[in-house]
Amino acid sequence: AHPMPWQALLGDRGRVIGMETFGESAPGPALYEHFGFTVEAVLEAARAV
């Protein structure tokens, strides 16, 4: 999801994992890694808030 509308709801205290581009083509796991949609990234974001 695009982070902009979510960031507006969360404010400065929240953290959003999202992407602002489209059109990439590759196997799902490769794209998750490329865009940072990993378990580690989600845990890091959760710990940051």
Side-chain angles (χ1 to χ4, degrees):
H2 195 284
M4 188 174 62
W6 292 107
Q7 194 64 54
L9 292 172
L10 295 174
D12 293 336
R13 294 176 47 192
R15 180 111 182 250
V16 178
I17 296 176
M19 54 188 284
E20 299 179 5
T21 62
F22 65 94
E24 299 289 338
S25 180
L31 290 174
Y32 298 148
E33 184 73 29
H34 175 76
F35 286 109
F37 294 111
T38 63
V39 171
E40 294 81 16
V42 172
L43 290 173
E44 181 182 328
R47 288 180 185 123
V49 295

